[in-house]
Amino acid sequence: MRRGFLLAVLMMGFLKASAQEINRFNPDTLKTIQLDSVINIKAEKLGVEKFINAIITDNSFYQAFRNMKKYDFIAENRIYTYNKKNKVDGRIYRKIKHSNSGPNKIQYLVKQDTGHVYKKNGKYQLYTIEMFDYIFMNAYQTDFVAEGPMISGKAEDSNQSYKDKLKTLIFAPGRPIKGLPFIGSKTQIFTANMRQYYDYAYHSGTYLDSIPVYRFKVTMKQDLSSGTKDGLMIKELTTIFDKRNFEILGRYVDMKYSNMLFDFDVQMNIETSYFEGEKLPTKITYQGNWDYPFKKEERASFLVLHKDYHLGKGK
């Protein structure tokens, strides 16, 4: 259960706005959106239902990650681990060239590790970092597959089942996630019952200095009791829409929850941009603390940047 739950939540993410982040070093210093003003809903003919429906039904955000694999690009991965005082005690840096042609999909341009990263047996100190490798290195080394359903249907093994839960969390937020004990129903923040706990805000803005966007921000109501707030897993959910086609360009989530089995505090951010008209992932950030009974508390953050996309030969 621990592997599946951490894998699913580790990759959940949405474009960064203002949230109560973990108070420590943050590797993400790239600011990509500038807000203009609150939107006049009547004039723009926008409303809560239009944004929510787009969030639940959009497929273009998922397709951007599928399309990534048919391109050559450079990936820079920075990973940091922390001690109990939130001081950096381990660093990992990878600069990788991804190629869509030939048997070798990746080439390490730089590979550096410093500090408290590995155990004596050569495995990572933190399960979070193991999951990072599982998610990203698998993505870099697998082949491009044409369009298909987000969820595979019948899972052939437990890893496929976890991947399907992961895809639902990232690309269809608001749907229930079956098979995640104590958590699955808490992702359904758009049900009639859950909406009473959240406020909605709309802003107009500019993304990457040139793309006109809407920011749709869902946050917990401030006047809720502390007990009610503690029972809500998703503290903030922010989605960035391209005004021109209403496709999703970015997502950010702030999650925090505690019970007898685990305690976690996670913020994640995923952004995409256009390359020759195709939307592709450009930035992923993660900040998280995890605590399980009888296990070492895990504190980590990472920053993933993708750049220099271009189609390989014959593509």
Side-chain angles (χ1 to χ4, degrees):
M1 182 183 75
R2 181 172 184 256
R3 177 183 177 88
F5 177 62
L6 180 54
L7 172 62
V9 179
L10 178 62
M11 279 295 296
M12 206 177 166
F14 302 83
L15 192 69
K16 188 172 183 179
S18 57
Q20 295 181 353
E21 292 184 347
I22 299 169
N23 186 24
R24 65 178 178 221
F25 169 71
N26 185 347
D28 181 14
T29 59
L30 302 177
K31 305 304 178 184
T32 52
I33 185 169
Q34 180 178 349
L35 296 181
D36 301 325
S37 60
V38 176
I39 296 173
N40 184 324
I41 300 300
K42 293 182 179 180
E44 296 286 350
K45 296 183 180 180
L46 295 175
V48 170
E49 296 304 325
K50 183 173 182 177
F51 283 110
I52 290 176
N53 184 64
I55 289 171
I56 295 174
T57 61
D58 177 84
N59 292 317
S60 66
F61 199 63
Y62 171 60
Q63 191 62 35
F65 283 79
R66 188 194 294 273
N67 291 341
M68 172 188 77
K69 296 181 181 182
K70 69 180 180 181
Y71 283 80
D72 296 345
F73 61 88
I74 300 295
E76 288 192 82
N77 300 340
R78 292 174 172 85
I79 306 171
Y80 300 85
T81 63
Y82 304 85
N83 60 24
K84 292 183 178 180
K85 296 182 178 180
N86 279 326
K87 302 298 182 182
V88 176
D89 65 0
R91 293 177 173 85
I92 299 173
Y93 175 67
R94 304 280 189 268
K95 187 173 184 179
I96 298 168
K97 182 178 181 180
H98 175 270
S99 175
N100 190 42
S101 58
N104 298 320
K105 297 291 183 184
I106 66 170
Q107 174 188 355
Y108 285 102
L109 304 179
V110 182
K111 191 175 183 180
Q112 299 173 341
D113 306 311
T114 58
H116 199 59
V117 175
Y118 298 100
K119 299 178 181 178
K120 292 182 179 180
N121 62 6
K123 294 184 177 180
Y124 287 118
Q125 287 278 353
L126 302 186
Y127 188 74
T128 304
I129 309 306
E130 181 183 337
M131 285 297 94
F132 177 94
D133 260 14
Y134 176 82
I135 293 166
F136 286 96
M137 297 313 297
N138 277 356
Y140 294 154
Q141 298 184 82
T142 54
D143 292 326
F144 166 72
V145 178
E147 290 188 22
M150 182 179 70
I151 303 302
S152 62
K154 184 178 179 181
E156 297 179 358
D157 54 40
S158 59
N159 280 342
Q160 185 60 52
S161 175
Y162 296 150
K163 290 176 183 177
D164 284 349
K165 294 180 179 65
L166 164 65
K167 291 174 184 177
T168 302
L169 281 168
I170 298 173
F171 302 109
R175 296 181 187 175
I177 312 297
K178 297 181 180 180
L180 293 182
F182 310 107
I183 295 296
S185 62
K186 293 185 179 295
T187 61
Q188 293 180 275
I189 65 171
F190 297 129
T191 63
N193 179 58
M194 292 293 284
R195 290 192 194 191
Q196 64 181 309
Y197 303 122
Y198 290 95
D199 285 326
Y200 306 92
Y202 324 82
H203 280 80
S204 178
T206 304
Y207 177 60
L208 294 175
D209 298 326
S210 61
I211 302 174
V213 296
Y214 298 124
R215 186 188 75 176
F216 178 60
K217 184 175 179 181
V218 183
T219 54
M220 291 189 305
K221 291 184 176 180
Q222 294 300 311
D223 59 355
L224 298 176
S225 68
S226 58
T228 300
K229 288 181 178 180
D230 290 343
L232 299 174
M233 186 183 79
I234 297 179
K235 311 302 183 183
E236 176 183 328
L237 178 67
T238 297
T239 308
I240 302 300
F241 294 87
D242 188 330
K243 282 186 180 182
R244 301 166 299 184
N245 53 25
F246 221 64
E247 288 190 1
I248 294 173
L249 290 175
R251 283 177 164 162
Y252 170 86
V253 70
D254 179 6
M255 298 185 298
K256 187 175 183 179
Y257 191 68
S258 178
N259 62 22
M260 295 180 63
L261 295 179
F262 46 75
D263 186 336
F264 66 87
D265 185 356
V266 170
Q267 297 97 38
M268 285 201 62
N269 168 54
I270 297 178
E271 297 181 31
T272 66
S273 189
Y274 298 107
F275 293 84
E276 297 182 353
E278 185 149 63
K279 187 167 64 177
L280 299 168
T282 55
K283 183 171 77 167
I284 303 165
T285 65
Y286 166 91
Q287 286 268 30
N289 293 347
W290 292 84
D291 194 6
Y292 288 82
F294 312 112
K295 298 289 184 179
K296 178 182 177 181
E297 182 183 14
E298 301 198 357
R299 303 183 179 210
S301 65
F302 60 73
L303 169 65
V304 177
L305 299 176
H306 290 174
K307 58 186 180 181
D308 298 336
Y309 281 104
H310 60 278
L311 286 173
K313 295 181 179 179
K315 304 299 175 184

mmCIF file of all heavy atoms in Angstrom, residues 108-135:
data_model
loop_
_atom_site.group_PDB
_atom_site.id
_atom_site.type_symbol
_atom_site.label_atom_id
_atom_site.label_comp_id
_atom_site.label_asym_id
_atom_site.label_seq_id
_atom_site.Cartn_x
_atom_site.Cartn_y
_atom_site.Cartn_z
ATOM 1 N N TYR A 108 23.602 10.486 -20.377
ATOM 2 C CA TYR A 108 23.896 11.378 -19.263
ATOM 3 C C TYR A 108 24.975 12.378 -19.681
ATOM 4 O O TYR A 108 26.099 11.992 -20.009
ATOM 5 C CB TYR A 108 24.375 10.594 -18.046
ATOM 6 C CG TYR A 108 23.288 9.856 -17.312
ATOM 7 C CD1 TYR A 108 23.123 8.483 -17.470
ATOM 8 C CD2 TYR A 108 22.411 10.539 -16.470
ATOM 9 C CE1 TYR A 108 22.111 7.804 -16.799
ATOM 10 C CE2 TYR A 108 21.402 9.869 -15.795
ATOM 11 C CZ TYR A 108 21.256 8.502 -15.968
ATOM 12 O OH TYR A 108 20.268 7.842 -15.301
ATOM 13 N N LEU A 109 24.629 13.656 -19.680
ATOM 14 C CA LEU A 109 25.610 14.707 -19.947
ATOM 15 C C LEU A 109 26.321 15.112 -18.666
ATOM 16 O O LEU A 109 27.504 15.435 -18.686
ATOM 17 C CB LEU A 109 24.905 15.914 -20.581
ATOM 18 C CG LEU A 109 24.113 15.627 -21.863
ATOM 19 C CD1 LEU A 109 23.444 16.895 -22.372
ATOM 20 C CD2 LEU A 109 25.012 15.020 -22.937
ATOM 21 N N VAL A 110 25.585 15.104 -17.552
ATOM 22 C CA VAL A 110 26.144 15.375 -16.227
ATOM 23 C C VAL A 110 25.423 14.467 -15.230
ATOM 24 O O VAL A 110 24.207 14.282 -15.318
ATOM 25 C CB VAL A 110 25.961 16.848 -15.792
ATOM 26 C CG1 VAL A 110 26.601 17.075 -14.424
ATOM 27 C CG2 VAL A 110 26.540 17.797 -16.823
ATOM 28 N N LYS A 111 26.182 13.927 -14.274
ATOM 29 C CA LYS A 111 25.604 13.069 -13.242
ATOM 30 C C LYS A 111 26.383 13.285 -11.950
ATOM 31 O O LYS A 111 27.515 12.818 -11.810
ATOM 32 C CB LYS A 111 25.661 11.605 -13.682
ATOM 33 C CG LYS A 111 24.869 10.644 -12.811
ATOM 34 C CD LYS A 111 24.890 9.243 -13.411
ATOM 35 C CE LYS A 111 24.044 8.276 -12.604
ATOM 36 N NZ LYS A 111 24.075 6.891 -13.189
ATOM 37 N N GLN A 112 25.783 14.018 -10.996
ATOM 38 C CA GLN A 112 26.480 14.390 -9.764
ATOM 39 C C GLN A 112 25.631 14.050 -8.539
ATOM 40 O O GLN A 112 24.421 14.287 -8.534
ATOM 41 C CB GLN A 112 26.787 15.892 -9.751
ATOM 42 C CG GLN A 112 27.683 16.347 -10.889
ATOM 43 C CD GLN A 112 27.830 17.859 -10.931
ATOM 44 O OE1 GLN A 112 27.022 18.589 -10.357
ATOM 45 N NE2 GLN A 112 28.863 18.337 -11.624
ATOM 46 N N ASP A 113 26.276 13.481 -7.517
ATOM 47 C CA ASP A 113 25.618 13.176 -6.245
ATOM 48 C C ASP A 113 26.516 13.655 -5.107
ATOM 49 O O ASP A 113 27.708 13.351 -5.092
ATOM 50 C CB ASP A 113 25.379 11.666 -6.086
ATOM 51 C CG ASP A 113 24.628 11.065 -7.257
ATOM 52 O OD1 ASP A 113 23.606 11.641 -7.634
ATOM 53 O OD2 ASP A 113 25.076 10.025 -7.786
ATOM 54 N N THR A 114 25.946 14.378 -4.155
ATOM 55 C CA THR A 114 26.705 14.827 -2.994
ATOM 56 C C THR A 114 25.852 14.687 -1.741
ATOM 57 O O THR A 114 24.624 14.784 -1.790
ATOM 58 C CB THR A 114 27.140 16.297 -3.140
ATOM 59 O OG1 THR A 114 25.983 17.123 -3.322
ATOM 60 C CG2 THR A 114 28.078 16.481 -4.325
ATOM 61 N N GLY A 115 26.516 14.472 -0.608
ATOM 62 C CA GLY A 115 25.803 14.431 0.657
ATOM 63 C C GLY A 115 25.177 13.083 0.959
ATOM 64 O O GLY A 115 25.591 12.033 0.461
ATOM 65 N N HIS A 116 24.133 13.118 1.749
ATOM 66 C CA HIS A 116 23.482 11.925 2.297
ATOM 67 C C HIS A 116 22.411 11.440 1.326
ATOM 68 O O HIS A 116 21.227 11.743 1.490
ATOM 69 C CB HIS A 116 22.866 12.289 3.655
ATOM 70 C CG HIS A 116 22.577 11.121 4.524
ATOM 71 N ND1 HIS A 116 23.546 10.237 4.943
ATOM 72 C CD2 HIS A 116 21.412 10.682 5.065
ATOM 73 C CE1 HIS A 116 22.989 9.314 5.718
ATOM 74 N NE2 HIS A 116 21.690 9.565 5.797
ATOM 75 N N VAL A 117 22.827 10.672 0.302
ATOM 76 C CA VAL A 117 21.913 10.255 -0.753
ATOM 77 C C VAL A 117 21.660 8.747 -0.745
ATOM 78 O O VAL A 117 20.520 8.306 -0.879
ATOM 79 C CB VAL A 117 22.451 10.681 -2.139
ATOM 80 C CG1 VAL A 117 21.560 10.147 -3.255
ATOM 81 C CG2 VAL A 117 22.563 12.199 -2.220
ATOM 82 N N TYR A 118 22.731 7.944 -0.572
ATOM 83 C CA TYR A 118 22.621 6.495 -0.702
ATOM 84 C C TYR A 118 22.876 5.765 0.615
ATOM 85 O O TYR A 118 23.595 6.242 1.489
ATOM 86 C CB TYR A 118 23.625 5.983 -1.739
ATOM 87 C CG TYR A 118 23.414 6.522 -3.119
ATOM 88 C CD1 TYR A 118 24.195 7.572 -3.599
ATOM 89 C CD2 TYR A 118 22.436 5.981 -3.953
ATOM 90 C CE1 TYR A 118 24.007 8.069 -4.880
ATOM 91 C CE2 TYR A 118 22.244 6.478 -5.227
ATOM 92 C CZ TYR A 118 23.032 7.519 -5.689
ATOM 93 O OH TYR A 118 22.835 8.014 -6.949
ATOM 94 N N LYS A 119 22.294 4.565 0.727
ATOM 95 C CA LYS A 119 22.590 3.651 1.828
ATOM 96 C C LYS A 119 23.891 2.903 1.501
ATOM 97 O O LYS A 119 24.422 3.002 0.406
ATOM 98 C CB LYS A 119 21.451 2.646 2.005
ATOM 99 C CG LYS A 119 20.104 3.259 2.343
ATOM 100 C CD LYS A 119 19.043 2.162 2.433
ATOM 101 C CE LYS A 119 17.667 2.750 2.741
ATOM 102 N NZ LYS A 119 16.621 1.689 2.776
ATOM 103 N N LYS A 120 24.370 2.124 2.465
ATOM 104 C CA LYS A 120 25.588 1.350 2.253
ATOM 105 C C LYS A 120 25.434 0.310 1.157
ATOM 106 O O LYS A 120 26.402 -0.065 0.501
ATOM 107 C CB LYS A 120 26.002 0.671 3.558
ATOM 108 C CG LYS A 120 26.468 1.640 4.638
ATOM 109 C CD LYS A 120 26.902 0.905 5.890
ATOM 110 C CE LYS A 120 27.377 1.888 6.953
ATOM 111 N NZ LYS A 120 27.805 1.190 8.204
ATOM 112 N N ASN A 121 24.201 -0.170 0.957
ATOM 113 C CA ASN A 121 23.969 -1.175 -0.083
ATOM 114 C C ASN A 121 23.784 -0.576 -1.476
ATOM 115 O O ASN A 121 23.492 -1.279 -2.440
ATOM 116 C CB ASN A 121 22.762 -2.044 0.277
ATOM 117 C CG ASN A 121 21.465 -1.237 0.386
ATOM 118 O OD1 ASN A 121 21.427 -0.051 0.088
ATOM 119 N ND2 ASN A 121 20.403 -1.903 0.840
ATOM 120 N N GLY A 122 23.926 0.750 -1.580
ATOM 121 C CA GLY A 122 23.827 1.417 -2.868
ATOM 122 C C GLY A 122 22.451 1.908 -3.235
ATOM 123 O O GLY A 122 22.285 2.615 -4.239
ATOM 124 N N LYS A 123 21.448 1.581 -2.430
ATOM 125 C CA LYS A 123 20.091 2.052 -2.700
ATOM 126 C C LYS A 123 19.894 3.453 -2.133
ATOM 127 O O LYS A 123 20.646 3.884 -1.253
ATOM 128 C CB LYS A 123 19.073 1.087 -2.090
ATOM 129 C CG LYS A 123 19.065 -0.291 -2.733
ATOM 130 C CD LYS A 123 17.961 -1.159 -2.149
ATOM 131 C CE LYS A 123 17.907 -2.516 -2.833
ATOM 132 N NZ LYS A 123 16.821 -3.374 -2.279
ATOM 133 N N TYR A 124 18.893 4.140 -2.632
ATOM 134 C CA TYR A 124 18.620 5.490 -2.152
ATOM 135 C C TYR A 124 18.201 5.467 -0.682
ATOM 136 O O TYR A 124 17.537 4.549 -0.213
ATOM 137 C CB TYR A 124 17.497 6.146 -2.965
ATOM 138 C CG TYR A 124 17.910 6.558 -4.354
ATOM 139 C CD1 TYR A 124 17.298 5.986 -5.479
ATOM 140 C CD2 TYR A 124 18.885 7.523 -4.564
ATOM 141 C CE1 TYR A 124 17.658 6.371 -6.757
ATOM 142 C CE2 TYR A 124 19.254 7.904 -5.838
ATOM 143 C CZ TYR A 124 18.639 7.326 -6.936
ATOM 144 O OH TYR A 124 19.005 7.696 -8.193
ATOM 145 N N GLN A 125 18.567 6.511 0.041
ATOM 146 C CA GLN A 125 18.156 6.660 1.430
ATOM 147 C C GLN A 125 16.640 6.793 1.541
ATOM 148 O O GLN A 125 16.026 6.261 2.452
ATOM 149 C CB GLN A 125 18.827 7.892 2.052
ATOM 150 C CG GLN A 125 20.302 7.736 2.345
ATOM 151 C CD GLN A 125 20.556 7.011 3.659
ATOM 152 O OE1 GLN A 125 19.623 6.741 4.410
ATOM 153 N NE2 GLN A 125 21.804 6.688 3.926
ATOM 154 N N LEU A 126 16.043 7.537 0.603
ATOM 155 C CA LEU A 126 14.625 7.855 0.686
ATOM 156 C C LEU A 126 13.825 7.118 -0.381
ATOM 157 O O LEU A 126 14.220 7.046 -1.548
ATOM 158 C CB LEU A 126 14.395 9.363 0.528
ATOM 159 C CG LEU A 126 15.091 10.282 1.535
ATOM 160 C CD1 LEU A 126 14.632 11.718 1.329
ATOM 161 C CD2 LEU A 126 14.847 9.835 2.963
ATOM 162 N N TYR A 127 12.680 6.628 0.020
ATOM 163 C CA TYR A 127 11.761 5.977 -0.898
ATOM 164 C C TYR A 127 11.226 6.977 -1.921
ATOM 165 O O TYR A 127 10.968 6.636 -3.077
ATOM 166 C CB TYR A 127 10.604 5.381 -0.093
ATOM 167 C CG TYR A 127 9.681 4.508 -0.891
ATOM 168 C CD1 TYR A 127 10.075 3.235 -1.293
ATOM 169 C CD2 TYR A 127 8.412 4.949 -1.244
ATOM 170 C CE1 TYR A 127 9.228 2.429 -2.024
ATOM 171 C CE2 TYR A 127 7.549 4.149 -1.964
ATOM 172 C CZ TYR A 127 7.966 2.885 -2.355
ATOM 173 O OH TYR A 127 7.119 2.090 -3.085
ATOM 174 N N THR A 128 11.090 8.244 -1.514
ATOM 175 C CA THR A 128 10.633 9.298 -2.428
ATOM 176 C C THR A 128 11.554 9.400 -3.640
ATOM 177 O O THR A 128 11.096 9.552 -4.775
ATOM 178 C CB THR A 128 10.592 10.655 -1.699
ATOM 179 O OG1 THR A 128 9.775 10.541 -0.544
ATOM 180 C CG2 THR A 128 10.036 11.735 -2.605
ATOM 181 N N ILE A 129 12.861 9.335 -3.428
ATOM 182 C CA ILE A 129 13.818 9.436 -4.536
ATOM 183 C C ILE A 129 13.761 8.190 -5.406
ATOM 184 O O ILE A 129 13.898 8.267 -6.634
ATOM 185 C CB ILE A 129 15.245 9.662 -3.999
ATOM 186 C CG1 ILE A 129 15.275 10.828 -3.011
ATOM 187 C CG2 ILE A 129 16.206 9.919 -5.149
ATOM 188 C CD1 ILE A 129 14.698 12.110 -3.543
ATOM 189 N N GLU A 130 13.546 7.044 -4.797
ATOM 190 C CA GLU A 130 13.372 5.816 -5.575
ATOM 191 C C GLU A 130 12.177 5.956 -6.509
ATOM 192 O O GLU A 130 12.214 5.551 -7.671
ATOM 193 C CB GLU A 130 13.177 4.629 -4.633
ATOM 194 C CG GLU A 130 13.014 3.294 -5.346
ATOM 195 C CD GLU A 130 12.758 2.158 -4.383
ATOM 196 O OE1 GLU A 130 13.129 2.282 -3.202
ATOM 197 O OE2 GLU A 130 12.164 1.138 -4.815
ATOM 198 N N MET A 131 11.093 6.542 -6.001
ATOM 199 C CA MET A 131 9.906 6.752 -6.816
ATOM 200 C C MET A 131 10.160 7.766 -7.923
ATOM 201 O O MET A 131 9.632 7.650 -9.033
ATOM 202 C CB MET A 131 8.744 7.206 -5.943
ATOM 203 C CG MET A 131 8.115 6.118 -5.103
ATOM 204 S SD MET A 131 7.345 4.797 -6.104
ATOM 205 C CE MET A 131 8.706 3.612 -6.198
ATOM 206 N N PHE A 132 10.959 8.775 -7.633
ATOM 207 C CA PHE A 132 11.323 9.765 -8.651
ATOM 208 C C PHE A 132 11.976 9.060 -9.833
ATOM 209 O O PHE A 132 11.617 9.276 -10.999
ATOM 210 C CB PHE A 132 12.271 10.798 -8.058
ATOM 211 C CG PHE A 132 12.768 11.817 -9.061
ATOM 212 C CD1 PHE A 132 12.126 13.033 -9.213
ATOM 213 C CD2 PHE A 132 13.887 11.564 -9.842
ATOM 214 C CE1 PHE A 132 12.578 13.963 -10.130
ATOM 215 C CE2 PHE A 132 14.343 12.484 -10.767
ATOM 216 C CZ PHE A 132 13.690 13.690 -10.901
ATOM 217 N N ASP A 133 12.962 8.199 -9.561
ATOM 218 C CA ASP A 133 13.634 7.453 -10.617
ATOM 219 C C ASP A 133 12.656 6.547 -11.358
ATOM 220 O O ASP A 133 12.676 6.446 -12.583
ATOM 221 C CB ASP A 133 14.768 6.613 -10.025
ATOM 222 C CG ASP A 133 16.122 7.274 -10.212
ATOM 223 O OD1 ASP A 133 16.157 8.476 -10.554
ATOM 224 O OD2 ASP A 133 17.151 6.602 -10.015
ATOM 225 N N TYR A 134 11.781 5.916 -10.608
ATOM 226 C CA TYR A 134 10.804 4.993 -11.203
ATOM 227 C C TYR A 134 9.912 5.725 -12.200
ATOM 228 O O TYR A 134 9.625 5.224 -13.297
ATOM 229 C CB TYR A 134 9.961 4.368 -10.093
ATOM 230 C CG TYR A 134 8.855 3.464 -10.582
ATOM 231 C CD1 TYR A 134 9.115 2.142 -10.932
ATOM 232 C CD2 TYR A 134 7.544 3.935 -10.703
ATOM 233 C CE1 TYR A 134 8.102 1.312 -11.375
ATOM 234 C CE2 TYR A 134 6.529 3.108 -11.148
ATOM 235 C CZ TYR A 134 6.814 1.794 -11.482
ATOM 236 O OH TYR A 134 5.807 0.982 -11.925
ATOM 237 N N ILE A 135 9.491 6.925 -11.842
ATOM 238 C CA ILE A 135 8.578 7.687 -12.698
ATOM 239 C C ILE A 135 9.295 8.304 -13.887
ATOM 240 O O ILE A 135 8.924 8.094 -15.049
ATOM 241 C CB ILE A 135 7.867 8.778 -11.881
ATOM 242 C CG1 ILE A 135 6.928 8.137 -10.847
ATOM 243 C CG2 ILE A 135 7.092 9.721 -12.796
ATOM 244 C CD1 ILE A 135 6.452 9.109 -9.795
#
